[in-house]
Amino acid sequence: MNIQTQIDPTNELVEQAKRVLPGGSFGNMPAEVILKEGKGGRIYDEAGREYVDFLLGSGPMFIGHAHPEVTAAVQAQVPLGTTFFGNNRHGIALAEAIVDAVPCAEQVRFVCSGTEADLYAMRAARAFRKRDKILKFEGGYHGMSDYALVSLAPKNPGNFPRGTLDSAGIPKSVVDEMVIAAFNDIEMVESLIEEQKDELAGVIVEPFQRLIPPKPGFLQALRAVTAKHGIPLIFDEVVTGFRFAYGGAQEYYGVTPDLCTLGKIVGGGFALAAIAGRADIMKHFDRLAMTDEDFIFQVGTLSGNPVAAVAGLATLQVLKQPGTYDKVFEAGRELMGALNELIRKAGLKAQVVGEPPLFDIVFTDQPIKDYRDTLKGDAAMLKRFNQHLRARGIMKGESKYYVSVAHTRADLDHTINAWKEAFDELKAGR
C-alpha cells in the first residue's frame, strides 16, 4: 500500500491558517489537515492525496459527498433564492417528512445547528415543567452551550451527581442546574430522579452515547421512570437520527422519547437542525398559544432555509430507497468483524465498540459501559494508530468511523489492509 505523508506544516495554506485562525484551525481537526474535495466515500486534501472518508464531515455526509440528487436539488434552488426569513414550501415539506419518519415527532422547529437544537430542547422542557434542572449523562455530547459543557469530557471526574465545567468562560452557577448520572447505570438514574423529581425539568440523553450502546433494558427503564413522574425525556439524535434507522435510534432501540433533536444527516450537508416532539411541549414555541411567561422566544436568520431544506429532502429520499440501511449495516458489520479479528491476531489489548453505522477501537480489554470506562483506554496508542491510518489513506476523527451509503467494496478492502499494516507498525513499537 502506498503510504501517504502529512501535508508539510510549512505549506503556504497552513501558515496562512496559523496567522488568522486560533491554533490554525476551525477547532475541529489539526491545522495540517486541509481538505479540498469530496466525492462519494472518498475525500481529497489540498496536496491531492486521496482518502477513504470515515469522517464524513463529522457525520452529515451519510449518502456520500456531492451526491448527484442532493447536488441537483441545491442547484435548482439557489437561483430562486437562498433564504427568506419566512416559511417556504421546502422547509414545510421537510418538517412533514420528519413527522412521518420519527416516532416522537408531532411538530418540528428548525434551527441551524445541533448545539441550538439541544439548547432549545432543554429550554422547552424547562418551559413545560416549570422547573430548572436537567439531568444529563457524564460523557454525553449535547453541543457547545453552557449547559451541555458540564461533564462532557472531564479529565478527572468528580462525584455524582455534581458536574464539572469543560470550558473556560462558563458561569460556575451553571453547574448547579445540571444533574449528572452515569450512562447505563439505571439504578443510579432512578435514585437521582426519585430524589430530585420535584426540581427536574427534563432528562437529556444520547440513546447511543458517543460510541457506547445502551445496555439491554436501560432506555426502556429510563423511559418508564421519566414517564412515571411526568418528566420529559429528550433523545439527542443529532448523530443517530436517520443513521441507525429511518426513524433514528428511537426506532432502532424501540423507545419513544417526548422530544428529540436532529441534525447532521437531516440537513444533507447544509446548516440545518431541528427540535421535534410532542405537540403539547412544542406549542411553547407558538406565541399565539402561550402566555408571555410560557412562550419560548426563538428565531434564527437561516432556520429552515430552502437550500438546506431541499438538500435534506433529497437525502431522505435516497435513504427511503429499499436496501439502503441493509447496505450500511452489512458494511459496518464486515468492518467491525475484520477489525476484531485483526486485534485478535495482533494480540493487543483492544476492542471494537459501537454499532455497525458508527464504531471505533478502544485500546483496553476492560468492559466499556460508560464514560469512565473509556478513560481506561490507551489514548496514546489510539493516536499512533490513527496517525498510521492517515498515512495510509484513511480519514477519520480522533474517535469514530462513520460508515456511509457511498462506501464501496474497494473502500472496505483498502481500510482492512490499512488496519493490518497499522497493527504491524504498533507491534513493531512504532
Side-chain angles (χ1 to χ4, degrees):
M1 182 180 292
N2 180 33
I3 297 177
Q4 304 182 36
T5 58
Q6 293 294 327
I7 295 174
D8 185 341
T10 61
N11 177 279
E12 182 181 348
L13 276 173
V14 175
E15 292 304 312
Q16 181 184 5
K18 289 181 177 179
R19 286 196 303 273
V20 297
L21 300 170
S25 80
F26 303 151
N28 303 325
M29 295 287 285
E32 290 73 26
V33 178
I34 304 182
L35 302 172
K36 180 179 181 180
E37 183 180 352
K39 188 69 175 176
R42 300 272 175 141
I43 202 161
Y44 307 83
D45 66 21
E46 283 284 349
R49 302 182 184 96
E50 181 176 0
Y51 304 85
V52 179
D53 185 22
F54 292 105
L55 183 59
L56 299 184
S58 191
M61 311 317 299
F62 187 50
I63 64 172
H65 296 279
H67 192 284
E69 293 182 35
V70 176
T71 300
V74 171
Q75 287 176 332
Q77 177 57 43
V78 167
L80 305 177
T82 55
T83 195
F84 307 122
F85 198 67
N87 285 0
N88 63 84
R89 66 169 58 248
H90 307 298
I92 295 168
L94 181 58
E96 184 168 29
I98 292 169
V99 170
D100 289 344
V102 178
C104 80
E106 295 177 354
Q107 290 188 326
V108 175
R109 176 55 68 99
F110 288 121
V111 289
C112 286
S113 70
T115 289
E116 290 177 272
D118 288 332
L119 172 65
Y120 282 113
M122 288 187 277
R123 187 173 294 175
R126 291 188 180 102
F128 178 76
R129 275 275 290 174
K130 294 182 168 55
R131 306 287 193 278
D132 291 339
K133 290 186 177 182
I134 299 288
L135 186 149
K136 74 179 290 272
F137 294 86
E138 186 177 71
Y141 180 74
H142 306 295
M144 292 282 104
S145 72
D146 288 355
Y147 298 105
L149 288 177
V150 178
S151 293
L152 161 62
K155 291 182 174 61
N156 298 297
N159 296 321
F160 296 112
R162 182 74 176 176
T164 60
L165 296 178
D166 293 298
S167 172
I170 299 175
K172 292 181 174 59
S173 59
V174 171
V175 171
D176 297 330
E177 305 301 336
M178 304 301 291
V179 179
I180 308 302
F183 189 68
N184 274 328
D185 189 336
I186 193 58
E187 290 79 13
M188 177 189 291
V189 177
E190 288 175 337
S191 175
L192 287 173
I193 289 177
E194 290 290 343
E195 176 186 317
Q196 304 203 38
K197 59 183 180 293
D198 293 331
E199 298 178 76
L200 283 174
V203 174
I204 188 167
V205 63
E206 291 178 286
F208 170 87
Q209 184 175 287
R210 315 311 293 138
L211 289 171
I212 307 170
K215 291 168 60 176
F218 174 72
L219 294 178
Q220 289 80 358
L222 181 59
R223 172 68 287 183
V225 69
T226 51
K228 173 184 175 182
H229 296 295
I231 297 170
L233 175 60
I234 305 163
F235 273 11
D236 181 341
E237 293 227 47
V238 171
V239 170
T240 57
F242 294 97
R243 189 181 311 276
F244 282 17
Y246 192 67
Q250 55 196 276
E251 176 186 325
Y252 184 68
Y253 293 122
V255 178
T256 303
D258 301 295
L259 293 171
C260 77
T261 56
L262 301 166
K264 297 190 185 291
I265 291 172
V266 77
F270 288 79
L272 185 143
I275 310 102
R278 284 168 33 189
D280 60 332
I281 302 177
M282 295 297 294
K283 73 178 182 181
H284 285 272
F285 290 103
D286 181 356
R287 184 186 295 275
L288 298 179
M290 291 285 108
T291 60
D292 287 346
E293 61 267 24
D294 291 328
F295 169 62
I296 299 172
F297 183 62
Q298 185 276 319
V299 296
T301 301
L302 297 174
S303 297
N305 72 83
V307 175
V310 297
L313 283 166
T315 298
L316 299 194
Q317 285 300 313
V318 173
L319 295 179
K320 289 175 73 173
Q321 295 172 8
T324 299
Y325 287 94
D326 292 339
K327 178 182 179 182
V328 172
F329 273 76
E330 182 179 347
R333 280 190 290 266
E334 178 179 346
L335 289 170
M336 292 176 78
L339 186 52
N340 267 318
E341 180 62 15
L342 289 169
I343 291 168
R344 185 190 67 79
K345 289 181 177 178
L348 294 170
K349 292 183 178 180
Q351 60 189 289
V352 181
V353 181
E355 298 275 14
L358 181 58
F359 63 88
D360 206 348
I361 184 173
V362 181
F363 283 92
T364 178
D365 57 0
Q366 299 300 304
I368 294 176
K369 65 183 184 304
D370 60 25
Y371 169 76
R372 296 189 187 198
D373 289 336
T374 66
L375 299 179
K376 301 171 185 175
D378 188 332
M381 181 80 81
L382 178 61
K383 183 176 181 179
R384 291 205 307 275
F385 187 62
N386 287 339
Q387 287 172 341
H388 289 311
L389 294 175
R390 183 79 54 78
R392 288 163 174 80
I394 303 296
M395 180 62 67
K396 66 181 290 286
E398 292 181 4
S399 70
K400 296 183 186 176
Y401 291 86
Y402 283 107
V403 182
S404 85
V405 177
H407 284 130
T408 65
R409 177 74 260 161
D411 294 335
L412 304 191
D413 292 341
H414 181 106
T415 301
I416 293 167
N417 196 39
W419 284 337
K420 182 179 183 301
E421 293 186 3
F423 279 128
D424 289 341
E425 294 283 350
L426 292 182
K427 286 192 295 181
R430 294 189 285 270

